[in-house]
Amino acid sequence: MASRHLARSIVLQSLFEWDFYQGKTNPQEILKRNIEKYGGNFNESEFAKKLAEGVLKHLEKIDEIFQELAPQHFLSHLNIIDRNVLRIGIYELLYGNKKEVPLKVAINEAIELAKNFGGENSGKFVNGVLGTILKKITNKPQTFGRGI
């Protein structure tokens, strides 16, 4: 498994645990433990930390954007995997370093996470939501709510 993909998998597992306990746990401690447990000869711990911290820092805006794009799907009603895969994907699309992770790579990585960890239709659902965001940001920058 490529190092960045492993980093995203560890971040997803960490966000899953944090979300499962409804934010009553320390996400940095969870991430540190998961990097130690699953990272092996892992050289992307800084990428994983930056990704997890970025998702949590922009969580309110990320969730707001999702609700704007998919008003028929309440984020709180999504399964925890899909919700956090989308959070990672939306973060990478909107706030990530595009030179480090191109937009299409961010989408493909999120789809793979959804397929590997989510349900039967998770990959298609994630692809649809992130594809809509990609269209919006490549055609009309700052089209979400009050802007990105």
Side-chain angles (χ1 to χ4, degrees):
M1 178 181 291
S3 293
R4 290 278 171 100
H5 185 73
L6 178 58
R8 288 180 183 90
S9 296
I10 292 171
V11 169
L12 175 60
Q13 292 168 7
S14 301
L15 290 173
F16 177 96
E17 183 177 339
W18 173 81
D19 196 359
F20 180 82
Y21 290 109
Q22 301 172 342
K24 295 177 185 168
T25 55
N26 184 319
Q28 290 84 11
E29 288 177 13
I30 296 169
L31 181 64
K32 182 180 179 208
R33 183 188 69 234
N34 286 340
I35 288 172
E36 290 170 2
K37 186 173 183 176
Y38 303 114
N41 293 331
F42 189 60
N43 61 354
E44 292 290 351
S45 59
E46 286 306 310
F47 176 79
K49 289 175 187 173
K50 182 178 171 183
L51 182 59
E53 289 171 0
V55 169
L56 293 171
K57 177 181 177 184
H58 298 284
L59 187 65
E60 188 176 319
K61 184 65 177 170
I62 290 168
D63 289 355
E64 179 184 309
I65 289 167
F66 171 79
Q67 283 306 155
E68 185 178 319
L69 290 174
Q72 70 280 15
H73 296 284
F74 291 104
L75 200 59
S76 61
H77 294 165
L78 288 181
N79 70 55
I80 297 176
I81 291 292
D82 290 354
R83 180 168 52 238
N84 286 292
V85 168
L86 283 169
R87 286 172 170 164
I88 291 169
I90 293 170
Y91 169 78
E92 286 200 281
L93 288 178
L94 300 181
Y95 302 103
N97 181 339
K98 309 309 185 269
K99 291 180 182 178
E100 195 175 295
V101 181
L103 296 174
K104 290 188 179 189
V105 171
I107 291 174
N108 287 337
E109 285 291 323
I111 292 168
E112 287 304 311
L113 286 174
K115 287 180 180 178
N116 291 334
F117 294 99
E120 185 178 328
N121 295 315
S122 294
K124 292 176 185 175
F125 179 66
V126 167
N127 185 33
V129 172
L130 297 182
T132 300
I133 292 173
L134 179 63
K135 286 178 189 172
K136 283 187 172 272
I137 62 177
T138 56
N139 293 330
K140 298 177 185 171
Q142 299 191 353
T143 57
F144 298 107
R146 289 169 259 131
I148 299 171

